[in-house]
Amino acid sequence: MEKLKERWGIESNFSILVILLVFAITGSSSLKIARPLLEYIGFTRDLFGQEWYFSVFYWTIRILVIFPIYQVLLVFFGWLFGQFRFFWNMEKQMLSRIGLGFLFK
């Protein structure tokens, strides 16, 4: 726990608990939101058939849809649980690493 607190710049164990809770809730929520969203636009597993390459295509698209949903929910739940600054800084750092840092300049 001490290494995690040092790496994240956090003082208390309670903050770590809240941050881990936010990660758990965000992950579950993004998965729950992605399925109906994809079904709403007509993108289901049954659309393509049972071949393995269709399954790979489906999951690739699903992950690409989940990613932005997760990013938005992470900041939202971070704000809801009083850890907005931590998650906002993490969000900016992660988007900078994938080449979207220009959005924050």
Side-chain angles (χ1 to χ4, degrees), residues 27-58:
S28 300
S29 299
S30 63
L31 291 175
K32 292 289 185 185
I33 291 172
R35 176 174 291 184
L37 181 65
L38 287 173
E39 288 176 357
Y40 177 75
I41 61 173
F43 194 80
T44 62
R45 288 183 89 167
D46 300 334
L47 181 66
F48 296 106
Q50 299 299 320
E51 299 296 325
W52 69 270
Y53 45 87
F54 292 133
S55 182
V56 169
F57 178 69
Y58 171 81

Side-chain angles (χ1 to χ4, degrees), residues 2 6-7 9 33 35 42 44 52 60 67 70 81-82 89 104:
E2 295 303 318
E6 181 181 322
R7 180 176 181 184
I33 291 172
R35 176 174 291 184
T44 62
W52 69 270
T60 302
F67 181 73
Y70 182 84
F81 282 86
N89 289 333
F104 300 108

Side-chain angles (χ1 to χ4, degrees), residues 1-2 4-5 8 10 12-28 70 74 77-78 81 83 86-87 90:
M1 289 286 252
E2 295 303 318
L4 198 55
K5 288 191 327 189
W8 285 350
I10 297 171
S12 70
N13 289 336
F14 181 73
S15 293
I16 288 181
L17 178 68
V18 170
I19 288 169
L20 294 176
L21 181 66
V22 167
F23 279 125
I25 292 171
T26 303
S28 300
Y70 182 84
L74 188 63
F77 285 123
F81 282 86
Q83 295 292 328
F86 174 81
F87 286 105
M90 179 179 271

